[in-house]
Amino acid sequence: MFLITPIVNFFQNLLVFSWDFVLTIANILLPKLKVGHVVPAGHPGAGGKWPEYVPPKEGDSRCSCPALNALANHGILPHDGKNIKFNEFGPIIRKSYNFASTFCFFVPNTAANMLKKSYSKDTFDLAELDLHNGIEHDASLTREDSALVPDQGKPHLPFVRELLASATGKDKDGNALLTIKDLSAYSAKRRVDARKTNPNFSLSRSHKTFGSSNSSTLLTILGGRVADLETFLVEERLPEGWESRVRTRNGLTFGAFNVTVFKVEHGINEKAYEEKLAKEGGDAKTAEV
Ligand code: HEM
């Protein structure tokens, strides 16, 4: 039994990442989905028409992931955020956000393993995903560390506002865009600040990568558009008429996504942020990014 699980996991991962490679190549060759047709017909959100947004009520389960909370707030996942089947939620992510089927199997399956539950039989409540140093980790961009704020279900708005205010890009119509450089700079600030303010701070190499993966969705699926990000991160709502900015037929594969994740993680320079801080003579909380 002890030997079988790692062997099964090894072959499962080999299969997922081989298939991901095939999907990545197919995406390069196939024409993109037309604007306005990313969410498949018949699924909530098709043509940009998302079901009514209802903020969470007392007793509803929410987690540290804005994307999953948004689906619950629109009733695409159960509004109370409870009793979600692991194997039913991947296809919902696939259709709502246009992530590839590989991601939509791998992440929920990882979450099931992390919670020691069965991917094919069990259910979870959103708040269970906040198991510290499972997928949830310190130095997030939209949450205080769980040692300081145990309920991770709501965004920490000062961080969100600071992140969005740090956007330096512009699209061709002059709208504000968050860039890879902005995301790396704000991540460096959060890591330095969190290390100073959280006595229980920890951030392993794999959690650094998780962090950059989570935040890279803001540039890929959300396209870095600050106006959309504000609605998504502040209210955990999908903007009226919104659709994923990823229009490849098979959705966002690990192969394509990891290019952005690598650039974001590689660009995080905590030392440079600390040196800037020292020059300004300020403390970590007030220095500009
Ligand atoms: C497939 C199932 C998913 C699971 C199980 C999941 C889980 C999580 C968890 C546990 C966190 C907290 C990490 C932290 O401590 O910062 C998180 C953060 C986040 N996730 Fe998800 N997520 C999923 C899908 C998605 C999708 C599809 C998107 C984008 C459309 C997304 C966007 C984000 C963002 C932006 C954050 C916040 C990062 C931060 O605050 O630094 N997630 N997710």
Side-chain angles (χ1 to χ4, degrees):
M1 180 68 183
F2 288 120
L3 206 75
I4 289 175
T5 311
I7 293 174
V8 169
N9 286 346
F10 174 80
F11 282 105
Q12 202 172 53
N13 291 347
L14 190 68
L15 200 69
V16 168
F17 290 105
S18 307
W19 184 234
D20 192 82
F21 178 74
V22 173
L23 295 180
T24 306
I25 301 296
N27 273 342
I28 295 169
L29 302 175
L30 292 168
K32 287 193 171 167
L33 295 163
K34 289 205 182 86
V35 173
H37 293 81
V38 175
V39 179
H43 182 75
K49 291 192 186 71
W50 296 98
E52 189 190 356
Y53 165 83
V54 179
K57 299 191 176 84
E58 189 66 32
D60 286 347
S61 185
R62 291 293 182 270
C63 65
S64 45
C65 178
L68 303 184
N69 289 348
L71 291 181
N73 291 340
H74 284 278
I76 300 168
L77 286 175
H79 190 271
D80 67 1
K82 295 178 183 170
N83 300 314
I84 301 166
K85 285 202 82 181
F86 286 101
N87 62 1
E88 286 177 4
F89 122 95
I92 296 176
I93 304 290
R94 166 89 190 92
K95 291 179 197 147
S96 306
Y97 291 114
N98 201 23
F99 251 114
S101 54
T102 42
F103 178 97
C104 296
F105 165 72
F106 186 83
V107 180
N109 187 50
T110 304
N113 290 341
M114 170 186 99
L115 296 173
K116 304 198 173 19
K117 291 193 177 192
S118 158
Y119 172 79
S120 53
K121 294 188 204 125
D122 288 339
T123 64
F124 67 100
D125 296 350
L126 287 177
E128 287 180 72
L129 297 175
D130 292 343
L131 175 73
H132 186 55
N133 283 340
I135 301 178
E136 192 281 325
H137 55 80
D138 286 337
S140 309
L141 308 191
T142 67
R143 273 28 183 197
E144 287 256 42
D145 288 355
S146 61
L148 308 178
V149 178
D151 177 2
Q152 293 283 293
K154 287 193 198 100
H156 183 65
L157 295 183
F159 290 167
V160 171
R161 302 236 180 265
E162 206 174 21
L163 167 68
L164 298 183
S166 74
T168 59
K170 290 258 179 285
D171 69 11
K172 58 178 175 19
D173 301 318
N175 301 311
L177 283 185
L178 195 70
T179 66
I180 289 178
K181 236 175 127 216
D182 301 333
L183 208 51
S184 298
Y186 196 67
S187 303
K189 175 176 166 41
R190 282 292 300 123
R191 289 180 190 181
V192 171
D193 290 355
R195 192 172 282 114
K196 288 190 179 163
T197 53
N198 176 4
N200 300 322
F201 181 84
S202 67
L203 195 64
S204 65
R205 186 180 284 273
S206 62
H207 285 106
K208 285 182 176 174
T209 309
F210 276 168
S212 291
S213 305
N214 289 326
S215 62
S216 291
T217 60
L218 304 177
L219 304 178
T220 49
I221 304 288
L222 276 293
R225 298 180 191 204
V226 171
D228 291 344
L229 289 175
E230 180 147 8
T231 309
F232 180 71
L233 294 177
V234 172
E235 295 175 71
E236 302 197 320
R237 177 160 75 84
L238 297 170
E240 194 62 31
W242 181 86
E243 67 177 9
S244 173
R245 301 299 162 193
V246 172
R247 291 194 287 113
T248 45
R249 299 253 148 191
N250 298 310
L252 185 60
T253 58
F254 282 109
F257 186 46
N258 284 343
V259 174
T260 307
V261 176
F262 176 79
K263 286 183 187 163
V264 169
E265 183 56 36
H266 191 68
I268 298 176
N269 189 340
E270 290 183 47
K271 212 164 155 240
Y273 173 69
E274 279 185 300
E275 280 168 8
K276 188 172 169 210
L277 209 60
K279 246 191 240 157
E280 287 169 0
D283 71 61
K285 285 202 140 181
T286 52
E288 275 183 33
V289 184

